[in-house]
Amino acid sequence: MPRHRLTDREFNAIRYLLPRQRTGKKGRPWVDHGSVIDGIFWILKTGSPWRDLPEVFGKWQTVYARFRRWNLEGLWDRVYNAMLKRLDKLDKIDRTLWCVDGSVIRAHRCAAGMIPQSEENDELVALGHSRGGYSTKIHILCDGQGTLLGITATGGQRHESTELENLIDHCELSLHRYDSRPDAIAGDKGYSSHAIRDRLRELGIEPVIGSKSNESREEEFDREAYRRRKIVERLIGWLKESRRVGTRYDKLACSYLAFVQLAALRRALKLI
């Protein structure tokens, strides 16, 4: 049997969120959702082209078509959001400290060529040129235990600090109420600016951000909380263990982000 399948417990945790399979209608019967999702996770973990999907999962065209359709319908967002709410009810979301960071993902040659690259198309393709070459930069927000709470993608040349507010807006957990917000958000020196610190304090969140060499250090800087920031770096490393995350092969940013979300979903399912 191929590796990387979901266990029965993991699949049952998301089964009720999947579309109902049609019955009693003419035409070919649907391929079982379990086989399709196992095929998607196999692609995620191995980084293989869709055409190389083992036949045990069904036809690759079927698995890809369902992955793409569910992505356009926002199914992956709903599934991951439901898992986060469930973890929240189980008190497994740490609100004492959240962490942010960005990481450059090298883009494969096949990721290019969808549409011309420009600032207007950046949201659709999220590709650019950085020191690492042709790449995408993912921006990660997680809690103090390494659970992914929000993610965005930009071109590889985009600086992390310009994406922080958008990243907070993309948090899967509602932050409208003060008691649902974290006590503090930690980030490295790349996020060091008066504007970012002031914005976080407006939200009732304490900034734990390292100071640059040409800046004066804050007197009440929480060093212990800052040391805990390494959890977001570990999360990025865990996500990149899935080869479809470690290298970008997808032409559209939404498809790539779906794979990142699925890698995080696999981690979240282990906590339930």
Side-chain angles (χ1 to χ4, degrees):
M1 297 293 288
R3 299 171 59 202
H4 316 307
R5 287 178 178 271
L6 290 179
T7 64
D8 292 339
R9 182 187 62 82
E10 291 172 339
F11 179 67
N12 289 333
I14 63 174
R15 183 195 296 270
Y16 72 99
L17 299 167
L18 303 177
R20 279 186 160 185
Q21 296 194 222
R22 62 190 181 195
T23 57
K25 293 185 178 181
K26 295 181 180 180
R28 295 181 180 178
W30 272 20
V31 176
D32 179 65
H33 283 333
S35 297
V36 170
I37 289 184
D38 284 340
I40 292 171
F41 275 107
W42 188 88
I43 293 290
L44 164 69
K45 194 66 177 179
T46 64
S48 300
W50 287 100
R51 292 175 183 270
D52 292 342
L53 184 71
E55 294 182 1
V56 68
F57 298 116
K59 294 184 177 180
W60 73 266
Q61 297 95 327
T62 300
V63 178
Y64 170 74
R66 207 170 296 182
F67 165 81
R68 180 69 178 145
R69 183 171 69 250
W70 286 350
N71 192 21
L72 293 175
E73 293 174 354
L75 177 69
W76 304 126
D77 288 331
R78 294 195 297 273
V79 169
Y80 193 73
N81 193 29
M83 289 300 101
L84 283 182
K85 289 181 178 179
R86 189 170 176 183
L87 289 173
D88 201 14
K89 288 182 179 179
L90 296 172
D91 292 328
K92 292 187 177 181
I93 298 295
D94 181 7
R95 282 192 166 82
T96 60
L97 180 72
W98 288 3
C99 305
V100 292
D101 202 359
S103 181
V104 173
I105 306 295
R106 189 67 180 267
H108 194 272
R109 180 179 61 85
C110 63
M114 182 68 183
I115 54 177
Q117 185 178 332
S118 66
E119 292 185 3
E120 294 77 10
N121 294 332
D122 185 58
E123 184 176 351
L124 186 61
V125 296
L127 288 166
H129 292 274
S130 66
R131 291 181 181 179
Y134 197 51
S135 59
T136 291
K137 180 173 285 187
I138 55 173
H139 306 265
I140 298 287
L141 173 67
C142 74
D143 75 344
Q145 297 178 344
T147 300
L148 181 71
L149 301 177
I151 181 170
T152 62
T154 62
Q157 77 283 0
R158 183 76 66 87
H159 197 274
E160 290 94 333
S161 61
T162 63
E163 190 67 11
L164 179 59
E165 191 159 353
N166 186 36
L167 181 60
I168 294 175
D169 291 340
H170 278 77
C171 179
E172 298 289 352
L173 295 178
S174 174
L175 298 180
H176 293 296
R177 294 168 47 185
Y178 280 98
D179 59 358
S180 66
R181 297 172 185 172
D183 297 334
I185 287 183
D188 61 18
K189 297 177 183 180
Y191 295 94
S192 182
S193 75
H194 293 298
I196 288 178
R197 290 186 175 92
D198 292 343
R199 177 56 180 159
L200 291 178
R201 290 190 174 107
E202 286 177 7
L203 296 173
I205 301 171
E206 180 63 26
V208 182
I209 299 173
S211 300
K212 298 177 182 178
S213 59
N214 59 348
E215 296 177 331
S216 58
R217 295 184 179 180
E218 296 188 344
E219 295 181 0
E220 299 181 356
F221 182 70
D222 191 340
R223 294 180 179 274
E224 182 61 32
Y226 188 71
R227 280 192 285 267
R228 291 177 57 195
R229 188 193 63 83
K230 64 183 179 182
I231 189 64
V232 66
E233 298 174 350
R234 293 171 63 188
L235 172 60
I236 292 172
W238 290 327
L239 294 175
K240 287 183 178 181
E241 288 178 3
S242 297
R243 294 186 177 183
R244 201 81 184 198
V245 174
T247 302
R248 176 172 169 179
Y249 299 99
D250 302 278
K251 292 184 182 296
L252 294 179
C254 61
S255 296
Y256 176 73
L257 287 176
F259 277 119
V260 180
Q261 205 167 39
L262 286 169
L265 175 63
R266 193 67 186 265
R267 283 181 46 79
L269 287 172
K270 297 181 183 298
L271 299 176
I272 295 177

